[in-house]
Amino acid sequence: MLETFLSSFATLLTAQHLMFMTIGVVLGLVVGILPALGGIAGMSLLLPFIYGMDPTSAVAMMIGLLAILPTSDTFSSILMGIPGSSASQATVLDGFPLAKKGEAARALSAAFSASMVGGMFGAIALTGVVLIARPLILSFSSAELFMLAIFGLSMVGVLSGSNLGKGLAACALGLILGTIGTAPAAGGERMSFDSLYLISGLELVIVGLGIFALPEIVDLLRSNQSISSTGKLGSGWFQGVRDTWNSRWLALRCSGLGALIGMIPGLGGSVVDWLAYGHAVQTTKGKTEFGQGDIRGVIAPESANNACAGGALIPTLLFGIPGSGSMAIFLAAMILIGLQPGPAMADPARDLDLTYTIIWTLAIANVVGTALCIVLSPWVAKLTTIKYTIFAPFMIVVISFGAFQATRSFNDMLALLAIGLIGIFLKRFGWPRPAFLIGFVLATQVETYFYQAVQFYGYGFPLRPLALAIGVLTVLSVWFGTRKRPGDAAAASISSEGDAEQAQAKNLMPQIVFTVVVGALFIYAFVDSWELASFLDKVFPMSVAVVGLIACLVVGLPQLRAQKTIAGGGAVAGGSANFDMDANMTDGGPWRFVFWLVGFVALIGLLGYFLALIVFFMTFTRVVAKTSWLNSALLTAGAAAMIMVLTWALNMQMPYGLLQEYFYDSLVWPFR
């Protein structure tokens, strides 16, 4: 064993290995800063270049890229309020409010230091776990995975704040949208409306961007100012590091949670940040600042998602079972360069030295990547000083371009727009979007593991020892998170969608209508599922629909009573029954900017992406940003050049429209 360690370190410290690792880190940094691209796009970028390379050098470059992504995607989450990837969505809740308070440096340094802790912890833990990982992973059957998914759903109560009814309804709405498409049990079609696009369900990247990114873009456009007035990150760099040290036990617990979740195929990075965030809320005192700028809300998810990246390597290397899209491409890349994932990767007589080289490359890459992120932060922060009417069209272009890569169908654009509208309404009426996203992320896992567990073990599967232990842990977690603590009487819940006292409406009908529409959707989902032939195809969506409808009644009945009180001349305080962020708006609301988004999507459908980009950019910068013709032309040229480079470098495609469909042979790239 000692010889294996020494061999791994000797390979790790060679100049060639460090050089290729650094190349991967730099590429990952660029990909991570741009929202919506993430690990799949980054790994796809490397595939053409690693063919024929020395396996160790190729692995160094790939691991360098994978290591930095959970760190670099923090920039857009904190500075712009737009999730850089599915693993950094929870960071937005407290990171962006901190940036708007002028504490961006503190938030970034805490995030980077927590990420480094998570990455190093994952490497150290995995060094010893490699040899015992096989029985650990194999002990998790579908029954245990189902109970883990339920544990994830238990975080909804924590993330719902004081509005548990809205939280449950939002979670149920996410679960219902997650069931769209072919059922995993017998293949029945649910709420697909005979659309080939919907048969495969909605993509996570589209839902994440629609729920979080588009509502934030619209809100910032309405403010008609820059995110930051100075572009300075503040003086909290050392404070952020001290915050991580002060919350070191939280960071270590979340790192352990991240590594464990990463090792279990099927959960992965799309949910670990929410689990860590919920754990932070459950186990810490003084919860009033969560959702408004609590540094612990940054430290927890950032330490977990970096450790998760390391944990996901275990099933990928030892079993050839990828836990995420980026790990699937990493697996394909390993085979491409002549490496065969499997038990041999844990055999000291065969490839164990390479496994340890990979794990410790991940640790070193985390350190190098963290240093680069800190160095580049002041320059990245300058983006936040640009007036948002100029900056927003760039973000809209990048987000729409990234969303299109989900299935490379124009329907991706329509889905992004529809989910964005849902996100705007959820935020406006105080329905917690994190709860919605938790439901959507876990919908497929919960249902798949449920029917597999029933088939293998019958309906008594929750009584299996490990499954029962996870169930007890879930109950304890919920109890621990909801119990009152001394000094927390006024701080029993988090705020995730704004201050209720500033969102009191004199007319509650918009809120009531939204609740009714969501309730009607649950009724439709129940009826649609009832017609399915297979019981296992229908039981999950029908159960969710019933729970969602009950939650809508819990939300809607107080709203109706409050509306009756107002109609009778009485007054109603703010709170769960009266929350409308646009109740007292004076700027006309978000709809003029929503129409711009609709217009952009319509142009894409007619002219294709590249021509639509030019028309949209020129018109938006002239009419909304009120720039000169010269500046508008320069900005449009810059956006067009950026998309052309991304399309070429990442081997991606641009959305096409009717123009390309009828005149494809007459057009030249990039117009086709």
Side-chain angles (χ1 to χ4, degrees):
M1 183 63 69
L2 180 60
E3 183 180 351
T4 302
F5 273 109
L6 293 177
S7 174
S8 301
F9 275 109
T11 303
L12 181 69
L13 298 177
T14 60
Q16 179 179 348
H17 189 86
L18 292 174
M19 179 186 71
F20 281 107
M21 181 198 72
T22 304
I23 292 172
V25 167
V26 172
L27 288 174
L29 183 62
V30 174
V31 172
I33 288 175
L34 295 173
L37 295 183
I40 295 177
M43 291 299 294
S44 300
L45 172 63
L46 286 183
L47 279 181
F49 300 101
I50 64 172
Y51 184 75
M53 284 181 61
D54 169 64
T56 305
S57 300
V59 165
M61 193 155 60
M62 291 188 292
I63 292 298
L65 186 144
L66 286 172
I68 189 61
L69 284 173
T71 304
S72 58
D73 62 12
T74 305
F75 280 116
S76 60
S77 297
I78 290 177
L79 296 180
M80 305 168 196
I82 298 172
S85 71
S86 60
S88 64
Q89 291 163 346
T91 306
V92 173
L93 291 185
D94 288 288
F96 191 47
L98 282 166
K100 290 194 289 187
K101 291 178 182 179
E103 298 183 60
R106 180 189 178 195
L108 286 172
S109 63
F112 296 152
S113 55
S115 293
M116 188 172 69
V117 169
M120 295 297 292
F121 178 92
I124 294 171
L126 294 175
T127 300
V129 165
V130 165
L131 298 178
I132 63 172
R134 184 180 178 88
L136 176 65
I137 294 175
L138 292 179
S139 66
F140 279 83
S141 68
S142 54
E144 287 73 29
L145 291 173
F146 171 77
M147 296 305 295
L148 272 177
I150 295 298
F151 176 72
L153 288 176
S154 72
M155 296 299 160
V156 168
V158 177
L159 297 173
S160 298
S162 57
N163 301 326
L164 183 59
K166 288 181 177 179
L168 291 174
C171 179
L173 181 60
L175 285 165
I176 284 294
L177 293 186
T179 64
I180 290 176
T182 304
E189 292 182 20
R190 300 179 303 205
M191 294 181 289
S192 63
F193 302 99
D194 296 323
S195 166
L196 290 176
Y197 177 78
L198 291 178
I199 285 177
S200 58
L202 297 172
E203 295 292 328
L204 175 59
V205 64
I206 293 174
V207 173
L209 290 172
I211 287 295
F212 279 104
L214 290 188
E216 297 304 330
I217 288 175
V218 169
D219 274 2
L220 288 167
L221 280 170
R222 292 171 64 184
S223 68
N224 196 28
Q225 59 187 10
S226 59
I227 297 175
S228 171
S229 58
T230 64
K232 296 180 180 179
L233 294 171
S235 57
W237 284 107
F238 293 108
Q239 180 60 43
V241 176
R242 284 195 294 269
D243 288 327
T244 302
W245 172 253
N246 292 336
S247 301
R248 56 191 179 276
W249 299 118
L250 174 65
L252 288 174
R253 290 198 306 273
C254 291
S255 296
L257 177 65
L260 178 62
I261 295 298
M263 284 190 287
I264 302 172
L267 294 180
S270 57
V271 70
V272 70
D273 56 327
W274 294 115
L275 291 176
Y277 189 89
H279 174 72
V281 176
Q282 287 175 318
T283 58
T284 55
K285 297 181 179 180
K287 304 176 183 180
T288 50
E289 292 300 312
F290 275 104
Q292 301 179 32
D294 193 310
I295 199 66
R296 295 168 297 183
V298 173
I299 293 170
E302 288 301 312
S303 56
N305 60 32
N306 271 63
C308 182
L313 285 172
I314 295 300
T316 305
L317 293 174
L318 300 188
F319 304 107
I321 303 174
S324 65
S326 57
M327 281 298 164
I329 298 178
F330 176 70
L331 184 67
M334 290 185 67
I335 296 172
L336 186 66
I337 59 179
L339 297 175
Q340 185 60 50
M345 300 294 290
D347 188 347
R350 299 179 66 181
D351 295 326
L352 182 59
D353 57 339
L354 178 60
T355 301
Y356 280 134
T357 299
I358 290 173
I359 291 174
W360 284 99
T361 300
L362 184 72
I364 300 300
N366 267 287
V367 176
V368 173
T370 300
L372 281 175
C373 286
I374 291 174
V375 170
L376 292 175
S377 293
W379 283 274
V380 177
K382 293 296 182 184
L383 295 174
T384 63
T385 64
I386 301 172
K387 193 175 180 181
Y388 208 76
T389 50
I390 295 175
F391 190 60
F394 282 96
M395 300 310 302
I396 292 171
V397 164
V398 171
I399 287 170
S400 59
F401 181 75
F404 174 75
Q405 306 311 316
T407 67
R408 301 194 175 187
S409 164
F410 175 71
N411 289 317
D412 290 332
M413 301 291 97
L414 299 178
L416 178 67
L417 191 60
I419 298 297
L421 288 174
I422 293 175
I424 289 172
F425 282 118
L426 290 177
K427 183 176 183 180
R428 171 178 174 176
F429 298 126
W431 293 47
R433 290 173 293 168
F436 171 93
L437 204 57
I438 280 276
F440 181 83
V441 167
L442 290 174
T444 301
Q445 286 95 326
V446 170
E447 183 173 14
T448 301
Y449 296 144
F450 172 75
Y451 94 80
Q452 288 177 347
V454 170
Q455 284 185 324
F456 295 149
Y457 309 110
Y459 287 98
F461 70 86
L463 299 179
R464 286 169 55 86
L466 187 54
L468 184 61
I470 297 173
V472 172
L473 178 64
T474 301
V475 173
L476 291 175
S477 174
V478 172
W479 173 80
F480 193 68
T482 55
R483 71 188 181 98
K484 302 281 186 178
R485 296 187 181 190
D488 276 0
S493 59
I494 67 170
S495 172
S496 61
E497 297 295 351
D499 185 354
E501 296 305 320
Q502 296 177 3
Q504 299 180 36
K506 296 180 180 178
N507 179 17
L508 275 67
M509 284 310 299
Q511 305 172 53
I512 295 172
V513 169
F514 180 71
T515 305
V516 170
V517 169
V518 174
L521 178 62
F522 289 132
I523 294 174
Y524 173 79
F526 183 92
V527 174
D528 180 79
S529 301
W530 178 266
E531 298 174 352
L532 296 173
S534 171
F535 174 76
L536 288 176
D537 280 355
K538 67 171 69 173
V539 61
F540 180 72
M542 286 174 58
S543 301
V544 171
V546 170
V547 172
L549 190 58
I550 293 173
C552 283
L553 291 174
V554 171
V555 174
L557 291 178
Q559 289 175 337
L560 288 170
R561 287 195 295 267
Q563 177 66 15
K564 184 177 180 180
T565 300
I566 291 175
V572 177
S576 180
N578 184 8
F579 187 101
D580 188 344
M581 291 182 67
D582 285 344
N584 303 307
M585 63 184 178
T586 58
D587 62 349
W591 302 116
R592 62 190 179 109
F593 297 112
V594 170
F595 290 142
W596 278 99
L597 295 174
V598 172
F600 181 43
V601 171
L603 281 174
I604 294 173
L606 291 173
L607 305 177
Y609 191 78
F610 196 74
L611 277 175
L613 180 156
I614 294 173
V615 174
F616 170 75
F617 239 88
M618 286 291 294
T619 308
F620 192 95
T621 50
R622 284 288 298 156
V623 175
V624 179
K626 296 181 172 54
T627 60
S628 65
W629 281 107
L630 176 60
N631 287 337
S632 182
L634 291 174
L635 290 169
T636 303
M642 176 182 67
I643 291 300
M644 289 172 66
V645 170
L646 283 174
T647 304
W648 171 79
L650 300 177
N651 193 28
M652 290 181 166
Q653 294 180 1
M654 297 186 194
Y656 62 89
L658 293 177
L659 181 66
Q660 285 74 25
E661 185 174 340
Y662 291 108
F663 301 100
Y664 185 86
D665 293 335
S666 304
L667 300 172
V668 297
W669 188 86
F671 296 98
R672 68 178 185 182

